[in-house]
Amino acid sequence: MRKKIVAGNWKMNKNFSDGLALFSEVINMANDELHNSQQVIVCSPYLHLHSLVQLNKGNTKVALGAQNCHQAEIGAFTGEISADMLASAGVQYVIIGHSERRQYFAESNTLCAAKIDIALKNNLTPIYCIGETLQEREAGTHFDIIKTQLAQATYHLSAQDFVKLVIAYEPVWAIGTGVTASSAQAQEIHAFIRKEIAWQYSAALADEISILYGGSCNPKNAEELFAQADIDGGLIGGASLKSRDFIDIAKAFN
Ligand code: PGA
C-alpha cells in the first residue's frame, strides 16, 4: 500500500514565534482528528526546524521536512544548509526542485539529481517536484517536460534508492494562483508519471511510489483530487499556513 501524504510547504512565511504557534495547532489537530494512516509533513523554513522537531517529540502522525538543501556534503558554501545538518536535527524529508527554486535560483534537473543523491545518502526522503509551465502546457510539451525532469534527476538511481522517493506533480500554472488542475488533468499526469517509472524500473516499483499533487489544493478540492487512482496526497502551499485548512485537507483521506 502506498503511503498517503499531505505535506505543507510554508515557503518564506511565518516568523519564529508564529511558526511555533502554527505548528502546535497542527500537531494537536492531527492527533485529535486524523484517524487513518496518512502522514502529515510540515516543511518549514530552516530556522524553525530544530524547535519544531523538539515540539513534535514522540509524535508519529507529523514529520518535519526542509524546503531545500545544498548538494555538497560539507564546506565553504556561505549561507547554505547541508543534508547532514538537517538529518542530525531530526528532519526526515526535504523538498527538492520546487518550481520556485527552478525559477528564482536557476536550479536544473542535474542540480536536483545531486541534491537527491546527498539527501538519500543522509537518509532524508526527497520530495522531488516536477511540473510544466503554462506556456509548456499550451505548447503541448508538458509530457516531454515531465519525462525529462524525471529522467535527468532520478533515473541514475538504483531501484532500491528510487523507491525511497516521493514525487510531487505541481503544474507551475496552478501554484499560488487559485487555479487548480482539474482532477482529471492531475490524474492524467500522475498516471503518466507512474507509467514512465514502470517502464524505467518496474510496475511493482511504480506502484509503491507516492505521487502528490500540488497547486492551489484546498479543503474544497482535496477530496476529489485525492480520490483519483494515482494521486496519493498533496503538497500544500498557501493552505498549509492555516492549521484548520491544512488539517481539513489531510482529513480528505478519512
Ligand atoms: P499552493 O503552493 O498550494 O500555494 O499553490 C503549492 C506549492 O508551491 O507547493
Side-chain angles (χ1 to χ4, degrees):
M1 261 280 279
R2 299 196 284 269
K3 224 184 201 176
K4 302 289 184 191
I5 297 173
V6 171
N9 174 11
W10 289 3
K11 309 191 181 182
M12 199 175 74
N13 292 293
K14 299 291 171 188
N15 69 21
F16 188 67
S17 56
D18 291 348
L20 254 56
L22 170 60
F23 188 70
S24 301
E25 289 171 14
V26 167
I27 299 179
N28 290 336
M29 288 183 183
N31 284 329
D32 289 349
E33 300 177 32
L34 301 182
H35 307 303
N36 288 337
S37 57
Q38 65 270 63
Q39 176 72 62
V40 173
I41 303 167
V42 169
C43 300
S44 78
Y46 290 134
L47 179 70
H48 305 44
L49 279 170
H50 183 250
S51 299
L52 302 191
V53 166
Q54 300 305 313
L55 264 179
N56 197 40
K57 277 255 148 71
N59 186 14
T60 52
K61 275 214 157 50
V62 184
L64 273 311
Q67 298 170 18
N68 180 34
C69 68
H70 194 268
Q71 66 276 17
E73 186 85 60
I74 191 170
F77 300 102
T78 301
E80 291 296 312
I81 297 277
S82 73
D84 176 39
M85 290 172 192
L86 295 170
S88 69
V91 173
Q92 292 173 265
Y93 293 84
V94 59
I95 297 174
I96 293 183
H98 189 279
S99 67
E100 286 148 19
R101 295 219 53 95
R102 293 178 188 265
Q103 184 182 351
Y104 303 125
F105 302 95
E107 293 200 358
S108 64
N109 294 327
T110 324
L111 180 64
C112 291
K115 292 188 178 205
I116 287 172
D117 287 345
I118 199 79
L120 288 172
K121 193 170 169 206
N122 286 280
N123 296 315
L124 294 171
T125 299
I127 301 173
Y128 177 53
C129 300
I130 55 180
E132 79 285 358
T133 62
L134 185 59
Q135 237 180 356
E136 289 160 348
R137 179 163 278 261
E138 284 174 350
T141 56
H142 46 301
F143 290 105
D144 287 341
I145 293 289
I146 287 161
K147 208 169 161 166
T148 306
Q149 288 171 332
L150 270 178
Q152 293 184 346
T154 68
Y155 287 175
H156 64 288
L157 297 174
S158 66
Q160 221 180 356
D161 276 341
F162 190 95
V163 79
K164 297 175 185 160
L165 302 180
V166 173
I167 308 283
Y169 168 59
E170 300 203 300
V172 180
W173 46 273
I175 296 178
T177 57
V179 181
T180 321
S182 69
S183 49
Q185 276 174 324
Q187 166 57 24
E188 180 187 35
I189 301 289
H190 282 235
F192 172 74
I193 293 168
R194 212 176 293 286
K195 209 175 72 204
E196 287 293 311
I197 297 170
W199 192 81
Q200 181 66 24
Y201 290 93
S202 69
L205 186 150
D207 200 43
E208 273 190 63
I209 294 276
S210 297
I211 308 177
L212 314 183
Y213 168 78
S216 299
C217 192
N218 62 44
K220 288 207 180 79
N221 58 31
E223 196 170 331
E224 190 182 326
L225 284 162
F226 298 175
Q228 304 303 309
D230 289 292
I231 301 184
D232 305 304
L235 181 54
I236 319 298
S240 73
L241 299 173
K242 292 189 185 130
S243 51
R244 182 70 274 152
D245 285 359
F246 185 50
I247 295 300
D248 280 351
I249 292 171
K251 278 163 84 172
F253 290 124
N254 275 5

